[in-house]
Amino acid sequence: MDSCLKAGPSPSVNDSRRSRQEAMAQTRRDLVLRAVRQAVADGGVTNANVRDIAKRAGYTAGALYAYFPSKQALFEAVLADSLARAQAAAQSAKVAKGAPEGAFAARAQAWFAYFLAHPAEAHLLLHVLSSDGRGLGCVGEELATALMASLAPVTQALVVLGCSPMLLQRETMALLSMAMGVLLIHDPSKLSGTNALAVEALASYIESVQLRLVAAPEQPAQALAPEGFAQVDLFA
Amino acid sequence: MDSCLKAGPSPSVNDSRRSRQEAMAQTRRDLVLRAVRQAVADGGVTNANVRDIAKRAGYTAGALYAYFPSKQALFEAVLADSLARAQAAAQSAKVAKGAPEGAFAARAQAWFAYFLAHPAEAHLLLHVLSSDGRGLGCVGEELATALMASLAPVTQALVVLGCSPMLLQRETMALLSMAMGVLLIHDPSKLSGTNALAVEALASYIESVQLRLVAAPEQPAQALAPEGFAQVDLFA
């Protein structure tokens, strides 16, 4: 048909088909990820199962497996989505004009606030990180990369604070550690009391990092490593 | 019999019986806790099951259930034991004479070093803390109390650093958060590389807390709470 060959503003059938397929895939993904989040919020991470998630999303378990081969794949898809949202929250955190050094605190807290405001996603993140007990290195290359990428706005702000390039990744991972530890120790689903303590704990940490970086931006904290750590291969 | 009525250095039959029973109970407990630790070290927390643990300890599952009513009870018994050992390590950490302000770092790092040196126990602690995703408040009164008690030597050292009584518990919980987060993000079973990063992350944190407490011992870090936290019930 002529219309198929014509170049111009109207898209080809192939383009339209691709757009439709992408829109359908995105809708399906949104439906499924929402179902996972609801299942986790309602029954906890441990009780969430593919059959229940499929039902909530309007699929049979078999159909869902065609798109997500395992519960782990479902969880990781939700987490990739959460991390993108937390990153966007950090990136768009308000920083007072004329005080760019405030960006570290503002962005780090906005990132953390995302997970405080979405406790089911926080639980999921903690669950995936702790399930094999082997740290960030074993949660899957993709998720580990997504986690660090999610904190990129914070890493950029650390540069403004004078953090040396050598220490950027370490400071970012230390912040991630503190944020995860605070979520683990405090209950992110309580919107007062304990949660206020979680906010304060992270705010204290951020203030501490600022003080330390301003005091000695180029130095890692090596001086304090005590005799008790002698058996550990320090600074390898 | 006369010998039963005699007061003096030789113990009564009742005393002896009690001693024997206590010694037997302690031996049984040690055997079982060792079996739990081995099962976790070999197959991970998720795969550890009562049947396997019973077999390793030389019991039938049924006999073991008479002493420990659930896997959770077994895990909590191991953790109570780990926490007592970590506390002892913190309490006996060497502090340079004439520099009592070094006690905070020395004790905190000795406590943390216990879990770095016992990765199976670290995994177990992370697992119990994260399994219900409801924070410290839901791990069982006994374990929550044991966790904070385990850090008592650190809390005492915070007093020396000038930490106000009002903030003692918060600083202790913040340290606990950081320690757990570092164990979660880094792999405690790796005795180099990643583990060195874990040591550094905690050392940095400790140095930061020292700096912050010396700079302003009486103030919690409230000033930094940003607009992004407005929806949270701060400082309730």
Side-chain angles (χ1 to χ4, degrees):
Chain A
M1 307 282 282
D2 268 355
S3 64
C4 286
L5 300 170
K6 213 172 14 182
S10 83
S12 73
V13 168
N14 278 342
D15 283 347
S16 298
R17 183 183 296 142
R18 203 174 305 121
S19 295
R20 171 179 61 77
Q21 286 171 339
E22 280 168 8
M24 297 296 285
Q26 188 57 50
T27 302
R28 181 169 56 228
R29 191 177 174 81
D30 289 346
L31 280 170
V32 172
L33 299 194
R34 191 183 308 155
V36 176
R37 284 191 288 262
Q38 286 172 347
V40 170
D42 289 352
V45 179
T46 321
N47 297 321
N49 64 74
V50 174
R51 185 169 297 275
D52 175 44
I53 290 165
K55 197 174 160 193
R56 288 170 188 262
Y59 286 98
T60 63
L64 187 57
Y65 274 121
Y67 301 115
F68 296 92
S70 65
K71 191 164 80 169
Q72 187 71 11
L74 283 165
F75 284 176
E76 293 193 1
V78 169
L79 288 183
D81 191 59
S82 304
L83 291 171
R85 288 167 198 250
Q87 180 175 2
Q91 192 63 62
S92 60
K94 278 186 196 166
V95 179
K97 281 179 189 168
E101 70 282 2
F104 169 62
R107 290 179 178 178
Q109 286 169 323
W111 191 90
F112 185 66
Y114 178 85
F115 287 101
L116 277 185
H118 299 87
E121 296 166 53
H123 295 167
L124 200 52
L125 182 53
L126 292 172
H127 175 81
V128 169
L129 283 171
S130 69
S131 57
D132 54 18
R134 292 284 182 273
L136 198 55
C138 280
V139 298
E141 188 73 22
E142 219 170 298
L143 182 59
T145 306
L147 252 173
M148 293 307 280
S150 173
L151 284 161
V154 176
T155 308
Q156 288 154 14
L158 280 167
V159 177
V160 176
L161 270 185
C163 184
S164 72
M166 202 188 81
L167 294 181
L168 275 180
Q169 197 185 2
R170 292 189 200 181
E171 285 294 350
T172 306
M173 282 187 78
L175 174 75
L176 179 63
S177 300
M178 187 61 172
M180 294 301 104
V182 168
L183 290 174
L184 194 65
I185 295 300
H186 300 277
D187 179 354
S189 71
K190 281 192 187 147
L191 281 172
S192 64
T194 314
N195 206 4
L197 293 177
V199 170
E200 283 177 40
L202 198 81
S204 281
Y205 175 72
I206 289 165
E207 188 178 353
S208 298
V209 172
Q210 280 194 343
L211 277 167
R212 176 164 48 76
L213 287 176
V214 168
E218 296 299 323
Q219 272 193 329
Q222 301 195 1
L224 282 166
E227 287 178 48
F229 283 159
Q231 78 279 17
V232 178
D233 183 15
L234 271 175
F235 319 119
Chain B
M1 307 282 281
D2 267 357
S3 63
C4 287
L5 300 169
K6 217 175 6 184
S10 84
S12 74
V13 169
N14 278 342
D15 284 346
S16 299
R17 182 182 297 141
R18 203 174 304 121
S19 294
R20 172 179 60 78
Q21 286 169 340
E22 281 167 8
M24 297 296 286
Q26 188 56 50
T27 302
R28 180 169 56 229
R29 193 178 174 79
D30 289 346
L31 280 170
V32 172
L33 299 195
R34 191 183 310 155
V36 176
R37 284 191 288 261
Q38 285 172 346
V40 170
D42 289 352
V45 179
T46 321
N47 296 322
N49 63 75
V50 174
R51 185 169 298 275
D52 174 45
I53 290 165
K55 198 174 160 192
R56 287 170 188 263
Y59 285 98
T60 63
L64 187 58
Y65 274 122
Y67 303 114
F68 295 93
S70 64
K71 190 164 81 171
Q72 187 71 11
L74 283 165
F75 285 176
E76 293 193 1
V78 170
L79 288 183
D81 189 61
S82 305
L83 290 171
R85 288 166 199 251
Q87 179 174 2
Q91 192 64 62
S92 60
K94 277 186 196 166
V95 179
K97 278 179 189 168
E101 71 280 4
F104 169 62
R107 290 178 179 179
Q109 285 169 324
W111 192 90
F112 185 67
Y114 178 84
F115 287 101
L116 277 185
H118 300 87
E121 295 167 55
H123 295 168
L124 199 52
L125 182 52
L126 292 173
H127 175 82
V128 169
L129 284 171
S130 69
S131 57
D132 54 18
R134 290 286 180 274
L136 198 54
C138 280
V139 298
E141 189 74 24
E142 219 170 298
L143 181 59
T145 307
L147 252 172
M148 293 306 281
S150 173
L151 285 161
V154 176
T155 307
Q156 288 154 13
L158 281 166
V159 176
V160 177
L161 270 186
C163 184
S164 72
M166 203 188 79
L167 294 181
L168 274 180
Q169 197 184 2
R170 292 189 201 181
E171 285 294 350
T172 305
M173 282 187 77
L175 175 74
L176 179 62
S177 300
M178 187 61 173
M180 294 300 104
V182 168
L183 290 175
L184 194 64
I185 295 300
H186 300 277
D187 178 355
S189 71
K190 283 194 185 145
L191 281 173
S192 65
T194 314
N195 206 4
L197 292 177
V199 169
E200 283 176 40
L202 198 83
S204 280
Y205 176 73
I206 288 165
E207 188 178 353
S208 298
V209 172
Q210 280 194 343
L211 277 167
R212 176 163 49 76
L213 286 176
V214 169
E218 296 298 322
Q219 273 192 330
Q222 301 196 0
L224 282 166
E227 286 179 47
F229 284 161
Q231 78 279 17
V232 179
D233 183 16
L234 271 175
F235 319 120

